[in-house]
C-alpha cells in the first residue's frame, strides 16, 4: 500500500461545477497536511495547508479526517484556470514528507 | 523578490558524464531538498539538508551527490552511476528544522535532465 494515495483521475468537469478530491494516508503519526497544485511541466505550488478544523480559502475548502486518515479538497465554481494536477502532501514532522502522485483536473468551457 | 532559482532549465548528459544542477535560495530557509519526478509519479526525495555542512540521504540517493557549503546553495550532482537520470528535478526549501518542522516546502521551477 502506498503511503499517500490519490485517485489519478482525470476528472473532467464543466465550468462552474463543484469537484472534490480525496487522499488517504497510511501513517497515523502524520502531523502536517497540504494541497499543492502543479501545472503541466511546472513546479508544484502550495495551494493550502490543511488544518484539523478544516479551512477555506475562497473557492477552495480542505478537510482532514484523522480517524479515517484522509484529507479532501473541494473546489467550488470551477474555472478553466483550475485545470491542473492536485498533489496531496503528508508530513510526519521533521523531514519525512510524502507527495501523492496527483489527481488531474480538466475544467471545460 | 525572494525565491528559489534552479539552473539550467534543460540539461543533457552524455554517457559516463557527471552533471551538476544548481539551486539557490534567498528566502533565508534552513532546510533544502532535492526531488526527482518521473511522468505520472509523485516526487521522490533524493537528498535533504537541515543546516550548512550537513545533509542526509533520501529515498533514492544512489547515483547522486550534494553539498551544502552555504545556506543559500544546495547543488546536486548526477553521477555516471545513475543509470536512469532522465527526469524532472525539483529543488525545494522550507523554514524550521527538527521534529517540529511542519512548514510547507517551496519549489524552484525545476531542471529537465535528459540523456544524449
Amino acid at each position: 500500500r502506498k503511503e499517500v494515495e490519490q485517485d489519478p483521475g482525470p476528472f473532467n468537469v464543466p465550468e462552474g461545477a463543484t469537484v472534490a478530491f480525496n487522499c488517504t494516508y497510511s501513517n497515523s503519526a502524520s502531523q502536517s497536511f497540504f494541497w499543492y497544485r502543479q501545472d503541466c511541466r511546472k513546479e508544484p505550488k502550495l495551494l493550502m495547508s490543511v488544518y484539523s478544523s478544516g479551512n477555506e480559502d475562497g473557492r477552495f475548502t480542505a478537510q482532514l479526517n484523522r480517524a479515517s486518515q484522509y484529507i479532501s479538497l473541494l473546489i467550488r465554481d470551477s474555472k478553466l484556470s483550475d485545470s491542473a494536477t492536485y498533489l496531496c502532501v503528508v508530513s510526519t514532522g521533521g523531514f519525512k514528507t510524502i507527495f501523492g502522485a496527483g489527481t488531474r483536473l480538466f475544467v471545460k468551457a | 523578490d525572494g525565491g528559489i532559482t534552479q539552473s539550467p532549465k534543460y540539461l543533457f548528459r552524455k554517457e559516463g558524464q557527471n552533471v551538476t544542477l544548481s539551486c539557490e535560495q534567498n528566502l533565508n530557509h534552513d532546510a533544502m531538498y532535492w526531488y526527482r519526478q518521473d511522468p505520472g509519479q509523485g516526487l521522490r526525495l533524493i537528498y535533504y539538508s537541515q543546516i550548512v555542512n550537513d545533509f542526509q540521504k533520501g529515498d533514492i540517493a544512489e547515483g547522486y551527490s550534494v553539498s551544502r557549503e552555504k545556506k543559500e546553495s544546495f547543488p546536486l550532482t548526477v553521477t555516471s552511476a545513475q543509470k536512469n537520470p532522465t527526469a524532472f528535478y525539483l529543488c525545494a526549501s522550507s523554514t524550521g528544522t527538527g521534529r517540529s518542522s511542519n512548514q510547507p516546502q517551496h519549489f524552484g521551477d525545476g531542471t529537465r535532465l535528459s540523456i544524449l
Side-chain angles (χ1 to χ4, degrees):
Chain A
R1 181 187 175 188
K2 291 183 181 178
E3 293 183 82
V4 174
E5 291 202 71
Q6 296 183 250
D7 182 341
F11 284 53
N12 293 289
V13 302
E15 270 188 297
T18 295
V19 60
F21 306 135
N22 287 329
C23 167
T24 59
Y25 60 94
S26 61
N27 189 340
S28 59
S30 298
Q31 297 178 14
S32 303
F33 309 88
F34 309 97
W35 282 102
Y36 280 72
R37 171 198 169 119
Q38 186 172 24
D39 291 291
C40 188
R41 299 178 69 81
K42 299 286 189 179
E43 76 277 20
K45 293 184 178 178
L46 179 66
L47 181 64
M48 58 198 305
S49 302
V50 187
Y51 303 118
S52 296
S53 55
N55 49 299
E56 186 175 309
D57 183 1
R59 298 182 292 109
F60 299 85
T61 300
Q63 297 277 354
L64 167 64
N65 185 319
R66 285 189 184 273
S68 300
Q69 295 183 201
Y70 79 82
I71 67 174
S72 64
L73 177 68
L74 183 77
I75 305 176
R76 290 182 298 278
D77 188 23
S78 299
K79 311 291 185 190
L80 294 175
S81 57
D82 293 334
S83 297
T85 297
Y86 291 84
L87 307 179
C88 170
V89 181
V90 176
S91 174
T92 56
F95 298 91
K96 182 69 172 176
T97 299
I98 306 297
F99 288 78
T103 298
R104 295 187 71 185
L105 172 66
F106 293 104
V107 181
K108 299 182 178 180
Chain B
D1 285 340
I4 303 172
T5 302
Q6 289 188 241
S7 62
K9 210 169 181 63
Y10 300 94
L11 187 58
F12 297 91
R13 196 193 86 171
K14 295 178 181 178
E15 289 288 335
Q17 185 182 39
N18 293 352
V19 292
T20 297
L21 285 58
S22 170
C23 178
E24 304 278 331
Q25 55 99 358
N26 60 4
L27 299 168
N28 200 32
H29 285 173
D30 291 307
M32 296 187 74
Y33 314 79
W34 273 106
Y35 292 91
R36 168 183 174 138
Q37 186 175 36
D38 293 279
Q41 297 189 34
L43 278 65
R44 292 185 290 167
L45 183 64
I46 305 173
Y47 269 97
Y48 66 92
S49 169
Q50 301 178 49
I51 55 172
V52 175
N53 292 323
D54 182 68
F55 49 83
Q56 306 295 329
K57 292 182 179 180
D59 301 317
I60 55 165
E62 185 173 349
Y64 300 97
S65 65
V66 294
S67 63
R68 186 88 187 272
E69 297 176 0
K70 298 186 299 181
K71 187 175 184 178
E72 303 79 21
S73 179
F74 191 41
L76 173 74
T77 296
V78 183
T79 74
S80 57
Q82 173 48 247
K83 298 306 180 188
N84 184 22
T86 297
F88 188 36
Y89 289 86
L90 288 156
C91 178
S93 69
S94 67
T95 60
T97 57
R99 296 189 63 79
S100 63
S101 173
N102 292 323
Q103 299 303 311
Q105 297 176 22
H106 300 274
F107 289 85
D109 57 7
T111 293
R112 292 196 178 274
L113 175 62
S114 302
I115 298 180
L116 279 178

